[in-house]
Structures are given as structure tokens and as C-alpha cells.
Amino acid sequence: MTMESLRGLGTQGVASNHRAVDAIESPAPSAPFVLQEGRHAKPPVPATALRHRELQEGRFWQAIPAYRDIDEATFLDYRWQGRNSITRIDTLLTAISGLAPPEFIADAEAGFAHSPMSVRVSPYLLSLIDWRNPYADPLRRQFIPIASQLMPDHPELVLDSLHEQEDAPVPGLTHRYPDKALFLTLDTCPVYCRFCTRSYAVGQDTGMVDKVQINADSARWEQAFTYIASRPELEDIVLSGGDVYNLPAKHIRHLGERLLQLPNIKRLRYATKGPAVMPQKLLTDHEWVQALVDVVKLGRKLRKDVMLHTHFNHPAEITWITREGLGRLVEEGVFIRNQSVLQRGVNDDVDTMRLLCKRLGHVGVHPYYVYIHDLVRGVEDLRTTLRKGIDIEKAVRGATAGFNSPVFVVDTLGGGGKRDAHSYDYYDEETGIAVFSSPNVDPDRQFFFFDPIASLTPEVQARWADPQERERMKADAASKAMLFKGKR
Ligand SMILES: *Cc1c(COP(=O)(O)O)cnc(C)c1O
Ligand code: SF4
């Protein structure tokens, strides 16, 4: 890290900047509030109701022996984070040996041997995991597979279960909905998540899946631009991957400018998990941030929306570094939304989800979607039932602003697209089969979603193990869905 790039941003810079903001926001002390007689007052809130404002502060990473001597300027350097990200299981296990219980280390080693995804964990993520209790830790669960918790995949699972490739007129451009398309610009990420829906393309070849090629390749991008220009109905492009955090600043700019120049394009979103796993980049990669801010400004000039979509799953992923990093974008007028995935043992309880939504709001992010976990290889232990999602959604609504209350959605199998979790035509909780219709994708087809097998009774699990019985259960659900359609 050159001190240049940190000028005004080191410990002193960030802290004093924050104090300055506080000074602007704190009003002068006023007379205490006195309730008029006969008026009703809400009882005072317990301190726990304000937990969303309590972010991890200070040099928390120094609790990890490997980072004990890492000062703040170094830890905030995104290049240091990138260079020190762990991509080999033996390096990871060395970093946590002495911290995590020995049986856990062996369990993780065996877990990685069975994982279809690449490994990549940033020092930031590593230092947010409670290694004394790694089995229960919500971040560990998302990034580090362990053999003893692996479950058999769902029998209906296929690679690319959402048909993203089937609906792609150009490699990496999925045009499923009438006016919007998903553009996979590259196939790498700042970290690799166990539960990635795009394990068909993202990450290194692990030998367990043949990955599709969607490199950051300008010839492929040109094909995508040509296709987008040829479809007047397309107004909205999601720039994803992989993860746009891994695109150099000049590519962020190029993609933004090329797309905004197209008269039909009105909305752009850059999708990245980056702020959740390496917020340092927002503080120290000035060029990248400037490229994004410039595209947002260009959009405003052209009266078009340019937004950032992030992917936080747990309130512990939001620290003071996140607040300062995202704060920079908020100051520049970048609008930020969040998409989470509902995961068992991570965020599948009402308190955690409420806290996540309120904490996101606290750092200037608008919760947008919570996805019911897709069928993905090797992560059946992370999936929840559809019912769970519907119940949590109900309990979260009303906890904060309506525009900060996420919609819980299912990305239905076979390319039906996203549907509100509760909008099924039929849902049999006993067999775990839900049937949806999707009028804007294909009004004549039915689309399925399946609860995890382990959530079903032993009798029903036995029925699922029999292929003929399985087809019967699906046909039964499909015919009931026809009957109930429009009557719920
Ligand atoms: C999610 C998604 C979009 C964007 O959908 P929104 O509901 O507008 O967020 C576009 N195309 C595909 C293929 C998608 O999966
Ligand atoms: S960052 Fe996104 S695309 Fe990359 S591995 Fe994680 S979920 Fe998949």
C-alpha cells in the first residue's frame, strides 16, 4: 500500500471524517420531552431494539494470530486483502489452527474434498468468523464446507437449474423476462460462496463440474451489446457474474457507458457481493469507486437509473469498515439495494432477518429481495422450506420502512423466473412440492420448487427415493395447482 492512496483515509482520516458527520447531525440539546396528560406514550425501547446500530468497531482482525501485527492502513488496503485471500485449503487450515477445535479442522478438510466450488476467503471474512464456535458461525456456514454436515443433493437438482444458459441468446446474457436481461460479465469473484447458483460457470474448474466459459471478453461483450441494441423491449440490464468487483475500473466504465448510450436502456444495476466480503475496496480502490460514481452521474444526466446491488446475508457482515465504505457511495448519491439468500442456520430466524434489514438501512442499503435458497449442489444443509421463508417475511414486514422490507422470492426451477414466495398456486408441505405460474415468462407452463428432503417425514422421504412415486407426487401437485390457480 502506498501511503498516497490512503491519504486522508487511514485511521485518523476515517475516524475524524466520521466525527465531522456526527457534528453535523447532532442537534443542540433541547428541553426534555414532557408527555401531556391523557396522551398515550410507547414504553421506552429496550437497548436490544437498537442493536442494528452496534457495529463491530476497532481492529477486530488482530484477534486472529495471523493478522495480529496487521495495522489498520494495511487491513484497509484492498490489494492486501486480495493478495492475502486464501485459495488453498491447507493455507486456510494453517491460519485457523490453534483457534478452531482440531476435530473441526479435519471436518473442514474432508468438506473441501467434496465441494464443487472453488475456495476463496478474504482476511476480512476470516476475521469475522468466531473460530471458537465454527460449527454454528453464520459466516463459516456460507464459505467453509464441512463433511459432517453435508447432505445428499435433492433428487430434482440439475446443474443450471434456473436455465440461465438455455435462455441465453448470447453466451452469458440471459433474456428471460420481457424488458430486462441478466448479463454475466465475467466468471470470477472476490470470494467463492459454497451456495453459488452459478457454480456452472463461476470459479476455477474443481474437477467436479465442467464450467461454462464466461470470461471478461470484449468480443463476447460486443455480441451482448449488439443483441441488447436489437431488442427494443429491453430497458433494464443486470450486470453480474461472477462479480463486478473483479472488473477493473476501465471495464466498469466501458460497460456502463456502452449500455447507457443505447436509447432503449433505462436501468442498469451492478451486482456485487464485494461490499459484504471486502468493503476495503470502497475505501482504497479510488479508481474503481470513481468509475462507478461517474457511470451513476452519466446515468443521472441521461435520466437513467444506475444502481448498486449487494449481497449481505447476515448482520455480522456489516462492520465499521462497511459503514465507511458504503458511506462513501451514499455521499456520492449511489443508490444501493441488497439481495440476500435465506439460509438454514445463517439467517432463517425472525430476529436475525429483522436485524439484517435494519442494519442494512442503517448503513444506507435498501433490502430488496430475500431468495428462498435454490437447489444447488453440495449445499442441501443450507436450504430451508418455502414455508419458513413465508413466515419470516410476514414477521419482518412492519419492523422498518416498507421500502426497506424485502420481498421473499423463489427463483422457480426450469426458468420460470422469480415469484413471490407466497404466490404459489399450490403448496403441499407434506411432500415439499410447490407449483407456481409465471404469466410474464410463460403463461401456459407450471414451475416447481422443492423443499429440502430432510425437512419431510421419513415416510415421505421414502416416497421421494422411489422415482415412480416421485413422478406421481409431482403430477398430483401439478393437477391440484391447476384446480387452485386463481382461487387462492
Ligand atoms: C433476477 C433476474 C433479473 C432481474 O429481476 P428483478 O426482479 O427486476 O430484480 C433479470 N433477469 C434474470 C434472468 C434474473 O434472474
Ligand atoms: S460472489 Fe456471487 S457469483 Fe460469486 S461465488 Fe458468491 S454467490 Fe456466486
Side-chain angles (χ1 to χ4, degrees):
M1 152 117 299
T2 62
M3 284 324 289
E4 232 164 44
S5 56
L6 266 183
R7 192 166 293 153
L9 255 188
T11 325
Q12 303 315 357
V14 171
S16 58
N17 185 25
H18 188 235
R19 271 198 299 280
V21 172
D22 277 349
I24 297 167
E25 285 176 352
S26 310
S30 57
F33 176 76
V34 182
L35 192 68
Q36 285 181 340
E37 232 181 71
R39 297 267 167 190
H40 170 76
K42 272 175 135 3
V45 291
T48 51
L50 306 178
R51 261 192 315 158
H52 60 282
R53 301 180 192 164
E54 291 162 17
L55 308 187
Q56 175 116 247
E57 304 284 342
R59 302 179 181 193
F60 52 83
W61 59 89
Q62 292 181 348
I64 304 283
Y67 310 138
R68 188 168 291 141
D69 299 325
I70 302 302
D71 62 17
E72 187 168 303
T74 308
F75 198 74
L76 291 186
D77 180 356
Y78 77 101
R79 281 165 301 192
W80 184 88
Q81 289 284 335
R83 269 200 309 273
N84 289 281
S85 285
I86 293 177
T87 55
R88 289 168 50 110
I89 174 66
D90 49 346
T91 326
L92 175 77
L93 298 180
T94 310
I96 60 170
S97 72
L99 276 175
E103 70 274 17
F104 174 82
I105 306 260
D107 211 351
E109 200 164 12
F112 273 112
H114 291 103
S115 168
M117 266 310 270
S118 306
V119 186
R120 195 173 178 85
V121 180
S122 61
Y124 175 72
L125 259 186
L126 194 91
S127 60
L128 291 177
I129 294 173
D130 177 4
W131 290 107
R132 284 157 310 172
N133 192 11
Y135 280 99
D137 188 274
L139 278 78
R140 194 287 302 158
R141 290 179 70 88
Q142 296 179 61
F143 298 97
I144 320 265
I146 49 180
S148 65
Q149 290 183 356
L150 288 178
M151 289 179 175
D153 287 332
H154 195 283
E156 294 286 325
L157 179 136
V158 288
L159 202 59
D160 186 23
S161 62
L162 308 182
H163 285 205
E164 288 187 340
Q165 294 176 71
E166 207 153 296
D167 290 345
V170 170
L173 185 80
T174 302
H175 185 186
R176 167 171 309 145
Y177 301 99
D179 77 346
K180 56 191 177 183
L182 170 69
F183 186 178
L184 307 181
T185 55
L186 78 170
D187 57 6
T188 65
C189 304
V191 292
Y192 290 119
C193 316
R194 285 179 61 203
F195 52 90
C196 186
T197 306
R198 303 214 177 100
S199 49
Y200 67 82
V202 165
Q204 309 300 313
D205 245 311
T206 52
M208 300 197 52
V209 282
D210 289 325
K211 310 245 173 191
V212 180
Q213 289 291 306
I214 49 161
N215 301 337
D217 157 7
S218 56
R220 184 176 65 87
W221 289 358
E222 282 304 320
Q223 278 185 292
F225 299 144
T226 306
Y227 175 82
I228 294 166
S230 78
R231 304 297 306 209
E233 75 274 32
L234 272 180
E235 297 182 347
D236 181 345
I237 305 296
V238 181
L239 292 164
S240 186
D243 195 299
V244 301
Y245 232 48
N246 278 23
L247 289 174
K250 63 172 194 281
H251 288 169
I252 293 288
R253 208 179 281 278
H254 175 68
L255 286 163
E257 288 172 356
R258 283 289 267 116
L259 290 168
L260 287 175
Q261 278 161 9
L262 301 177
N264 51 319
I265 293 306
K266 288 291 203 181
R267 293 176 289 282
L268 280 190
R269 321 172 210 177
Y270 288 91
T272 171
K273 195 166 171 67
V277 294
M278 206 190 282
Q280 287 82 356
K281 186 177 174 85
L282 302 174
L283 288 170
T284 52
D285 189 350
H286 304 297
E287 224 190 313
W288 193 91
V289 170
Q290 196 56 50
L292 178 67
V293 168
D294 287 346
V295 177
V296 169
K297 282 199 180 127
L298 176 65
R300 222 176 285 140
K301 188 101 192 144
L302 298 169
R303 304 180 181 176
K304 299 181 177 191
D305 275 343
V306 179
M307 314 257 167
L308 188 73
H309 278 211
T310 64
H311 178 183
F312 290 89
N313 286 335
H314 192 274
E317 292 159 11
I318 304 171
T319 66
W320 72 269
I321 304 176
T322 328
R323 175 186 64 216
E324 297 309 318
L326 291 175
R328 252 189 96 181
L329 299 180
V330 174
E331 283 173 33
E332 296 282 0
V334 180
F335 193 91
I336 312 164
R337 294 196 187 99
N338 187 68
Q339 308 187 173
S340 301
V341 184
L342 187 69
Q343 294 174 327
R344 199 158 73 87
V346 174
N347 56 15
D348 67 333
D349 64 280
V350 171
D351 284 347
T352 305
M353 196 52 85
R354 275 196 197 124
L355 186 60
L356 175 63
C357 293
K358 294 205 65 171
R359 191 165 283 174
L360 284 166
H362 183 64
V363 296
V365 179
H366 302 260
Y368 173 43
Y369 281 151
V370 175
Y371 287 87
I372 309 297
H373 206 306
D374 293 329
L375 275 66
V376 177
R377 275 182 78 169
V379 292
E380 196 64 5
D381 60 305
L382 283 177
R383 296 210 310 126
T384 69
T385 60
L386 180 63
R387 170 57 55 202
K388 189 100 186 216
I390 293 170
D391 289 347
I392 295 177
E393 177 175 41
K394 196 168 170 178
V396 165
R397 182 150 303 273
T400 187
F403 53 73
N404 275 0
S405 303
V407 175
F408 283 55
V409 291
V410 180
D411 221 333
T412 52
L413 291 161
K418 298 179 191 67
R419 310 306 299 150
D420 286 33
H422 51 74
S423 70
Y424 51 79
D425 292 330
Y426 179 71
Y427 177 26
D428 184 339
E429 290 184 52
E430 199 180 312
T431 61
I433 300 177
V435 186
F436 290 84
S437 41
S438 191
N440 287 303
V441 170
D442 186 341
D444 302 322
R445 271 180 65 194
Q446 295 181 309
F447 298 95
F448 285 96
F449 185 78
F450 303 104
D451 284 343
I453 296 287
S455 68
L456 311 172
T457 61
E459 295 75 45
V460 180
Q461 291 191 23
R463 291 174 71 192
W464 270 98
D466 172 353
Q468 275 181 350
E469 190 57 22
R470 196 197 305 169
E471 291 312 314
R472 261 199 294 278
M473 289 190 289
K474 283 163 59 185
D476 177 56
S479 65
K480 291 209 174 99
M482 292 296 264
L483 276 175
F484 288 127
K485 193 170 166 179
K487 299 207 178 81
R488 280 186 65 236

